[in-house]
Amino acid sequence: MRRRLAALALLIAGACAASVPVLDLPPSPVPPSAAPRGAARPPGRGSYDSVRSHWIVLRIRGLKREVELKGWCREGVWTTLEAVRYESFTVRETWGRLGERKPRRLGRVVDQARAGTVARLRPEADGGISLDVETAQVERGRPLKVGSFEEHAILMRGPVRYGYRFSTRLPRRSGAVAAWQPGVRVILGEDAPAPAGAVTFRFGGGGGFVAGAPAQVESFYEEWRAAEPVLQDADGVLFGDFRMQRERRASGFLVDAQGRPTAFDGSGLKFEFGRMKRSE
């Protein structure tokens, strides 16, 4: 009976994971910087004594699909809405050999790469809203040789994860929020053109915008690569530690509280805001 229940639970979990909507995201054609400013920091915690709640509907649109996230969000409190699934992969292996015995694997560490959309929302008392939205896609990647142990090749399959992230504070709670086209568009409530005062940007083959300030917009690319293996010989007892490490690159820009954008190094984005035009 226990085995049957466990099998049923795994079947249900697999069905739920398969049903999570993941957008058909194309990688951005803008080359990521070798030294980006890094991902936006997770939002800080707000107070937990709020008694006012607001019904928020957020839509994230890809090339062919759309993900809708909705729920009650308390005023002044960060609320997380998400539609995600996780792709498991081996990130670390430990191998050993004692004396004349054959080498064998002693342990394995499994990590997960997150695909899908995560939105953190905080309605403000003045009628605005702060939000942080990340949508990503994960590809399995190809098997990589991360080292050798006693002439035995150690292979791991490093995933590739790419997507888009938008962080901003808006003066209102409806309309278009941000876009990186071709790629993704973020909408609160009903869709609309880019609002007046939004910072727009262009690059060869595409462009986009972000409303509100301060803000951060980026396309990111993450890849797991082989790290330098650690080999030890302790009086005839051999150990080998093999692992992969994440490398993250991004292209995009920051917008300060006055609405002035600053691009990440090497992005080549062109901005248009108000009557001014500037290239970074």
Side-chain angles (χ1 to χ4, degrees):
M1 178 62 72
R2 289 182 178 178
R3 290 183 179 179
R4 290 181 180 178
L5 291 175
L8 179 60
L10 289 174
L11 181 62
I12 294 173
C16 292
S19 65
V20 172
V22 176
L23 296 177
D24 46 333
L25 297 174
S28 171
V30 180
S33 170
R37 296 176 181 269
R41 293 182 179 180
R45 294 182 177 181
S47 62
Y48 289 89
D49 57 354
S50 173
V51 295
R52 298 187 61 186
S53 296
H54 303 270
W55 179 253
I56 304 295
V57 177
L58 183 69
R59 289 184 289 149
I60 301 90
R61 182 177 299 162
L63 292 179
K64 298 179 181 178
R65 301 188 185 95
E66 181 176 283
V67 173
E68 184 177 85
L69 302 175
K70 53 188 176 181
W72 289 100
C73 302
R74 286 191 293 167
E75 192 172 286
V77 178
W78 286 102
T79 300
T80 300
L81 305 176
E82 62 182 34
V84 298
R85 67 174 180 231
Y86 293 89
E87 304 290 341
S88 298
F89 65 97
T90 300
V91 72
R92 185 173 183 177
E93 287 187 356
T94 303
W95 286 72
R97 180 176 69 80
L98 176 62
E100 299 301 321
R101 296 181 181 180
K102 293 183 179 180
R104 64 190 183 94
R105 187 176 61 216
L106 304 177
R108 172 187 288 172
V109 177
V110 176
D111 201 352
Q112 292 182 317
R114 186 181 67 198
T117 304
V118 176
R120 299 177 178 91
L121 306 148
R122 186 177 71 181
E124 307 291 356
D126 61 3
I129 187 169
S130 299
L131 59 85
D132 182 280
V133 179
E134 180 188 276
T135 185
Q137 192 156 307
V138 175
E139 297 178 356
R140 293 193 64 191
R142 55 185 177 83
L144 300 173
K145 182 179 178 180
V146 297
S148 298
F149 186 76
E150 296 291 282
E151 300 182 354
H152 179 79
I154 310 299
L155 300 178
M156 298 183 192
R157 186 182 292 272
V160 172
R161 181 174 183 267
Y162 59 88
Y164 303 85
R165 186 164 187 171
F166 306 93
S167 300
T168 187
R169 188 188 189 284
L170 298 160
R172 54 187 176 83
R173 299 191 190 126
S174 64
V177 174
W180 187 301
Q181 302 290 350
V184 64
R185 186 178 181 91
V186 181
I187 306 152
L188 272 170
E190 297 299 322
D191 197 359
V199 174
T200 62
F201 62 96
R202 299 188 183 282
F203 52 86
F209 69 90
V210 62
Q216 178 167 339
V217 178
E218 66 175 21
S219 67
F220 63 86
Y221 183 89
E222 296 177 344
E223 187 174 11
W224 278 259
R225 295 179 174 270
E228 188 69 25
V230 177
L231 303 175
Q232 295 180 336
D233 184 348
D235 297 327
V237 180
L238 303 181
F239 291 96
D241 187 59
F242 306 89
R243 62 187 178 87
M244 292 189 297
Q245 61 186 10
R246 186 188 70 158
E247 291 185 3
R248 187 183 193 278
R249 292 173 290 162
S251 58
F253 59 95
L254 302 172
V255 180
D256 64 19
Q258 286 71 45
R260 296 186 296 259
T262 302
F264 296 175
D265 294 338
S267 68
L269 299 176
K270 295 182 179 180
F271 297 106
E272 299 178 5
F273 51 105
R275 296 184 179 179
M276 300 174 61
K277 295 185 178 181
R278 181 173 67 183
S279 296
E280 296 289 339

